[in-house]
Amino acid sequence: MRTEGVAALVGELAARGLSIATAESLTGGALCSAFVEIPGASAVLRGSVTAYAVDLKASILGVDGELLRTKGPVEERVALDMARGVCRIMRADVALATTGVAGPGPADGHAAGTVWVACTGKLGERARLCRFHGGRSDVRAQAVEAAVDLLTELLCMTPR
């Protein structure tokens, strides 16, 4: 993970007076950890929910249980609902979410490396489907970078 990119995000969020939270599945807390590594992150970081188990996505983050039963956790709406849920729970201005298949093999009908990242909150709402390659740790690291990139894009598109 490029710490300079996350450091720039922390600085920009602080300059705008915005707080952030994360909801994670396949990244298992690595996204939140990327923020925690940055000195001064406490000025913007509210917290994180790691909902690795599918049922926790519904019971804690408010993802539609029927959607999870019929489509599974690797869906655009699941990522968006995870981000919305953690934004609400943590009372954050912005939230990032990750859900997908880290590997080594397929899961829930999706190939390893299939990942959704999402961002919701005061900067707008966007989700992105990613297809990564490499081993399990590579996919997880790329998912963190994709979430950071998504937030960076939304910040660039939104005037101060």
Side-chain angles (χ1 to χ4, degrees), residues 101-104 112-113 132-142:
V101 183
F132 301 126
H133 300 284
R136 184 174 174 79
S137 61
D138 298 319
V139 169
R140 294 177 67 241
Q142 290 171 81

Side-chain angles (χ1 to χ4, degrees), residues 15-39:
R16 294 182 187 213
L18 297 173
S19 61
I20 188 167
T22 64
E24 303 183 59
S25 185
L26 82 150
T27 50
L31 179 57
C32 184
S33 182
F35 281 88
V36 171
E37 290 294 324
I38 306 304

Side-chain angles (χ1 to χ4, degrees), residues 8-9 11-18 123 154-160:
L9 283 179
E12 185 62 23
L13 290 168
R16 294 182 187 213
L18 297 173
L123 298 173
L154 284 172
L155 279 166
C156 288
M157 294 170 50
T158 309
R160 280 192 185 188

Side-chain angles (χ1 to χ4, degrees), residues 25 45 77:
S25 185
L45 182 63
R77 199 169 121 217

Side-chain angles (χ1 to χ4, degrees), residues 78 80 101 128 133 151:
V78 171
L80 287 167
V101 183
R128 177 171 294 144
H133 300 284
L151 177 54

